[in-house]
Amino acid sequence: MDSLIAAMEGLVEDIYGHVHRVSGVSISIGEILGLSPADLDRLATVGVLHDVGKLHVDTRLLSKPASLDAPEVEHMQRHTLFGFAMTADLFEREVSEAILFHHERFDGSGYPHGRAGDEIPLLARIVAVADAYDAITSERAYQPALPSAFALQEIRTYSGTQFDPMIVEAFLDSVSDGSFETTQRLVLDLAAS
């Protein structure tokens, strides 16, 4: 796993921070949901490797400061398929499938296969919320970092369409009880050591 993370570091600015923050937020949600220690370990792995398929995406797209056109979006969306192919023989099925499905939407309008609701693996539904939160609150080539309050409102707004309402509720609980920030700090500290 370390070699995959090291390979990703050269892709985009702050990919290391992004994947570890997503992992930390995901673990906070998983703890609120009462996941087993084995599932929390799987969730941590998915959080760190959810974007590993971007190693096979044109790097110009990863740092493009403007919106992607339709062919570029289609190429970018393949990162989930690439990530699945890269991890399927290395990790448990739950891990590689969560990497594959982390951009599915609760209403079935996501990618790569248009799965909906419980057809989307639980770990993927958790990482989807964590990934969205970090994407909104982090500096990106195409947008400045936006305030946490804005990200929380966006996640609330898309509960039931983009996101599983149960996961959104657990995420908001983790934010309100402080476990979100504590877990995120611990994950980043462990990653740095």
Side-chain angles (χ1 to χ4, degrees):
M1 184 162 74
D2 290 340
S3 61
L4 291 174
I5 294 168
M8 288 178 7
E9 282 183 38
L11 284 180
V12 216
E13 190 174 326
D14 195 37
I15 191 78
Y16 184 87
H18 168 66
V19 298
H20 285 90
R21 288 188 302 270
V22 169
S23 184
V25 173
S26 297
I27 291 167
S28 296
I29 296 168
E31 288 173 339
I32 293 283
L33 292 172
L35 295 187
S36 70
D39 277 337
L40 289 172
D41 285 345
R42 290 180 190 105
L43 191 54
T45 301
V46 174
V48 170
L49 293 179
H50 72 280
D51 279 341
V52 71
K54 288 184 177 176
L55 286 168
H56 295 286
V57 170
D58 184 338
T59 55
R60 291 172 297 178
L61 300 183
L62 298 174
S63 57
K64 185 175 178 180
S67 297
L68 303 180
D69 62 29
E72 291 170 334
V73 167
E74 186 178 317
H75 179 70
M76 180 70 82
Q77 288 178 345
R78 290 190 195 125
H79 83 275
T80 61
L81 299 167
F82 296 142
F84 176 76
M86 293 171 70
T87 59
D89 293 334
L90 300 174
F91 297 95
E92 296 171 277
R93 179 182 50 81
E94 295 89 346
V95 170
S96 57
E97 286 186 355
I99 290 168
L100 175 64
F101 296 122
H102 77 275
H103 279 293
E104 296 287 2
R105 293 172 59 120
F106 197 69
D107 65 4
S109 65
Y111 64 89
H113 299 302
R115 287 192 173 192
D118 292 339
E119 296 174 340
I120 306 165
L122 177 63
L123 301 184
R125 286 181 274 148
I126 292 170
V127 168
V129 171
D131 187 31
Y133 177 81
D134 192 69
I136 294 168
T137 58
S138 299
E139 188 79 27
R140 296 291 173 109
Y142 54 87
Q143 82 174 27
L146 298 169
S148 180
F150 177 82
L152 295 173
Q153 186 54 50
E154 286 291 287
I155 289 169
R156 279 188 199 97
T157 298
Y158 292 101
S159 178
T161 54
Q162 184 171 353
F163 307 116
D164 179 338
M166 175 185 74
I167 307 302
V168 170
E169 184 178 330
F171 170 65
L172 296 173
D173 287 350
S174 77
V175 170
S176 66
D177 78 4
S179 63
F180 158 78
E181 290 176 5
T182 302
T183 305
Q184 197 173 31
R185 253 192 320 276
L186 288 172
V187 169
L188 286 171
D189 289 346
L190 285 172
S193 60

